[in-house]
Amino acid sequence: MTAEVYRKRGRSVRREGQNLVWVDEAGEAVEDRGRFRTRTLDEAVEVSAPEAAGVEAAAREIESIVNAPLTIERLLVSEGVVTHEFGEVEWSETSRRVHLSISRPPLRVIFDLAQFQFDAIRTAAVALMRAGSERPAPRRIRLSAHVGAALLPFLAVQKSQTAAPRDGKGQPIEPHRVTNERPPNWFRPSYRVRPRRAWFHLRVEEFGEIDPGAPAAIALLASAGRREIRLLCVERDAVYPATVPMRPILAARPAEEWYPYGAGAFGAELIL
Amino acid sequence: MFAMVRRDELWVRGVLDESRFTQGQALTRGREIFARDSIDDRTLRGELRAACDAEMDRFYRSIESLKNARVRGIVTATTGGLESTITITVDGISVVTTPDDVISDYQALERLLRPPAAPPPARSMPIVWRNGSAAVLLHEAIGHAAEHAHSPLTWPRWLLARDITPEGRSADLIAGEVPMAIRRESFRDVPLRRMTNLVFEQVRAPWATPAGRIEVFLVSGGTYEPLTETISIDIAIADLVRGKKRERVAPFTIRASRAAIARALIGAKGKPVRYPGVICSREGQELFVGSHAPVMVTSELA
């Protein structure tokens, strides 16, 4: 078996708190007979520059949404331009990411986004201002699409891999029903990380009926777990935190927006 | 200007499994940081590489005999100095150490490993924190609270808590001083005020060994939740002791507010013991923090 050589060259800019961080990197990963080696290529990065103005504007927009008594606990907004090379295959991509936590002690809402569109943050910020004390989990709850996306990688529900140009080894990502079998594609979030098999760009398959009158979970209060999830819930005029145990999904409806959970997940409105 | 060269290797049962070489520099101008994975100053680059390679040779010599463990060595040479850590994992339990201490820490880990014979206690019990493990508890309860500039609490008068930089600058964490060092994991990261080397000491503390107690030897993780000022400590290796009977208990987690921990800290004895390592993660940056504490005892954490 010949060695597999992957190279990545990229430029990124990120707003982290009040800092603006520019990073240029070019690196190589080699897998040879089970051994994984990476190194910096020590070369000028010939990739177009990301747009700092867009990143700064997005960060400012988020800051304008979050008003006292809410505070921004953590804010990262970034754009990256990357070229990949695996054997003879070359491809490129531009990506945007937002990681945000907004606090109002003892609560914190968290967001991971791949677009500079902040409607969900606006809704959650308004609700967090009015949040009351903890309540028991509602009998039925409707998860907003961005909340459902966070659960999708480990949710036992019918879902499919969605087509995309390339995986971490330059192979096309074909549509595929997610099964318990080994995923056909490879996920490589960084050249410094050994690639692993993963299902890409998960999309939930629609079933059942989404009850618009059910209490709504509009934001995650902690990273999604396999056993339970901490959610900010809205029920008529009340806003409250609740811990919801994982239980069977009663209905699902896919959404168009993509989120950076696992190797990618599309929004999923769910009744839980 | 910050520059660094890092070598990172993973050895599994004596065989090299993964290796990484990283270098880079970061220039700060006002609120902007310009980072890239090359170092303009060729002389500096050569010096950092040479320092890194020499330390890697020491790493190789230090782990030669460790054939049944998973061993990860990370050597980082920066404009601020050299840092070298080794993480040894046996049967899923890890310690973090240095080339100087790797053999003794590995042998100590081997002596501690045995399967649990009992479930964790159903109710809270006094805990004796051995092997320097109280440093992890107080890292969370005092160290992180200080990093977040949270109001100081009333701790026992016999307790001293300092964070000491490699240059010898010291912060009194109980008095509410923040750690002196500004640290970053790599050239890509924003430097932050972080702990470096924690030393907890006791001066004429009371001591009484509870007849029924948990004795903690190794901890697998800890967190400080800044919004609620609560601590969570994952206990990896501990014994349940009742009179003369001693049983290894399954891993368990302790959760308490830092105020509850301050109230529960009822005794200590001896000089600070080096705990084999804490990798502290904050803002996505993982940093080694030296940790030392005497044997300590806490009453029931409700």
Side-chain angles (χ1 to χ4, degrees):
Chain A
M1 188 178 163
T2 56
E4 291 183 336
V5 181
Y6 166 82
R7 295 191 182 93
K8 184 176 185 178
R9 299 168 176 89
R11 304 179 74 182
S12 67
V13 61
R14 76 176 187 274
R15 196 36 212 283
E16 182 173 337
Q18 293 305 312
N19 294 102
L20 192 67
V21 185
W22 299 82
V23 182
D24 288 8
E25 285 190 279
E28 176 184 83
V30 178
E31 269 192 291
D32 188 7
R33 283 164 290 182
R35 185 172 295 174
F36 181 72
R37 287 181 285 126
T38 73
R39 67 181 181 96
T40 51
L41 290 170
D42 203 3
E43 63 181 35
V45 178
E46 305 292 341
V47 172
S48 57
E51 279 189 42
V55 167
E56 288 269 46
R60 281 196 300 271
E61 187 176 343
I62 292 169
E63 287 163 345
S64 75
I65 294 169
V66 181
N67 297 305
L70 310 185
T71 56
I72 292 179
E73 191 180 36
R74 192 166 190 222
L75 172 62
L76 285 103
V77 181
S78 68
E79 181 172 300
V81 182
V82 173
T83 64
H84 308 267
E85 183 186 320
F86 185 82
E88 302 296 310
V89 185
E90 291 184 26
W91 68 105
S92 61
E93 62 182 333
T94 299
S95 59
R96 288 177 161 183
R97 295 287 184 270
V98 175
H99 175 76
L100 170 69
S101 65
I102 305 172
S103 69
R104 184 185 162 214
L107 302 178
R108 159 195 298 119
V109 293
I110 55 175
F111 288 90
D112 284 286
L113 308 174
Q115 295 180 47
F116 293 168
Q117 290 176 5
F118 307 125
D119 292 345
I121 295 174
R122 270 191 196 88
T123 304
V126 170
L128 189 57
M129 290 269 209
R130 300 195 295 115
S133 53
E134 185 91 15
R135 288 193 187 182
R139 199 172 54 83
R140 279 181 149 210
I141 190 164
R142 175 171 54 87
L143 306 191
S144 300
H146 67 96
V147 176
L151 273 59
L152 213 46
F154 49 83
L155 213 54
V157 65
Q158 295 271 12
K159 53 194 173 186
S160 296
Q161 169 168 284
T162 310
R166 303 283 173 197
D167 71 358
K169 293 194 177 186
Q171 298 304 303
I173 298 166
E174 308 282 4
H176 201 297
R177 170 73 65 85
V178 172
T179 65
N180 289 330
E181 291 166 17
R182 206 167 65 163
N185 290 98
W186 293 86
F187 181 45
R188 193 192 297 262
S190 153
Y191 81 85
R192 288 178 292 274
V193 177
R194 193 191 277 265
R196 62 174 172 84
R197 287 184 182 272
W199 297 104
F200 279 71
H201 316 316
L202 299 172
R203 190 186 294 274
V204 72
E205 294 183 15
E206 185 161 1
F207 75 98
E209 195 165 325
I210 301 291
D211 173 6
I218 60 162
L220 288 166
L221 293 172
S223 297
R226 288 174 186 272
R227 290 182 183 170
E228 58 183 31
I229 36 176
R230 291 272 300 148
L231 298 168
L232 185 64
C233 304
V234 177
E235 185 174 358
R236 290 187 288 274
D237 290 338
V239 180
Y240 57 91
T243 299
V244 178
M246 275 300 179
R247 51 198 189 197
I249 307 299
L250 304 174
R253 183 162 63 197
E256 286 308 305
E257 203 160 319
W258 184 93
Y259 297 90
Y261 295 113
F266 285 92
E269 224 179 330
L270 305 171
I271 294 284
L272 192 71
Chain B
M1 204 273 285
F2 171 85
M4 60 168 275
V5 171
R6 173 175 294 154
R7 290 191 186 277
D8 169 348
E9 292 190 353
L10 174 66
W11 291 74
V12 180
R13 296 185 177 277
V15 177
L16 179 63
D17 191 55
E18 296 182 359
S19 73
R20 295 174 178 81
F21 171 77
T22 311
Q23 63 175 19
Q25 67 177 32
L27 287 163
T28 302
R29 282 194 212 115
R31 57 183 277 272
E32 287 189 89
I33 297 172
F34 300 88
R36 64 169 185 268
D37 60 358
S38 56
I39 299 172
D40 292 341
D41 183 335
R42 299 278 146 173
T43 306
L44 175 62
R45 186 180 76 169
E47 287 170 0
L48 294 177
R49 280 191 180 190
C52 198
D53 289 348
E55 184 65 10
M56 280 307 283
D57 288 340
R58 212 160 75 87
F59 162 71
Y60 296 136
R61 288 194 299 275
S62 72
I63 67 161
E64 263 172 3
S65 63
L66 308 186
K67 301 297 188 203
N68 72 337
R70 183 184 169 93
V71 181
R72 186 171 182 207
I74 302 177
V75 173
T76 310
T78 74
T79 36
L82 185 74
E83 187 175 284
S84 180
T85 62
I86 301 174
T87 304
I88 314 168
T89 307
V90 182
D91 293 346
I93 308 278
S94 300
V95 294
V96 186
T97 182
T98 63
D100 290 333
D101 299 308
V102 64
I103 294 300
S104 60
D105 284 342
Y106 171 73
Q107 289 167 344
L109 175 61
E110 290 250 287
R111 282 194 299 274
L112 281 171
L113 288 171
R114 63 174 187 272
R123 60 179 176 78
S124 181
M125 293 182 73
I127 297 175
V128 173
W129 301 81
R130 297 202 178 277
N131 197 31
S133 61
V136 185
L137 177 76
L138 300 179
H139 169 113
E140 304 298 343
I142 297 178
H144 278 305
E147 281 183 346
H148 285 277
H150 288 164
S151 309
L153 295 177
T154 303
W155 290 87
R157 293 171 65 91
W158 47 261
L159 179 66
L160 305 176
R162 291 178 298 143
D163 182 56
I164 305 166
T165 68
E167 305 81 42
R169 289 178 300 147
S170 173
D172 180 346
L173 303 178
I174 287 180
E177 292 178 5
V178 294
M180 299 278 183
I182 303 291
R183 304 178 70 192
R184 59 175 124 201
E185 183 182 336
S186 85
F187 62 93
R188 303 172 206 91
D189 296 306
V190 173
L192 299 170
R193 194 167 290 282
R194 297 285 294 267
M195 291 172 268
T196 308
N197 187 33
L198 285 172
V199 181
F200 299 97
E201 294 171 280
Q202 59 87 19
V203 181
R204 293 186 291 279
W207 179 265
T209 305
R213 62 191 181 273
I214 295 287
E215 293 200 357
V216 170
F217 300 95
L218 277 179
V219 167
S220 57
T223 55
Y224 178 65
E225 168 49 78
L227 298 185
T228 54
E229 302 189 14
T230 52
I231 284 95
S232 172
I233 301 285
D234 298 319
I235 306 295
I237 297 184
D239 286 349
L240 172 62
V241 183
R242 284 198 176 99
K244 290 185 176 175
K245 189 180 175 195
R246 176 181 290 270
E247 282 184 306
R248 176 62 41 88
V249 293
F252 63 101
T253 300
I254 295 166
R255 291 188 183 86
S257 69
R258 67 179 179 116
I261 288 167
R263 287 192 299 270
L265 197 58
I266 53 174
K269 66 177 180 181
K271 292 191 178 304
V273 175
R274 179 184 58 82
Y275 182 75
V278 171
I279 300 291
C280 176
S281 180
R282 192 176 153 211
E283 299 293 325
Q285 298 188 46
E286 293 194 340
L287 295 169
F288 176 79
V289 177
S291 306
H292 308 75
V295 177
M296 290 190 171
V297 61
T298 49
S299 59
E300 293 87 341
L301 286 158

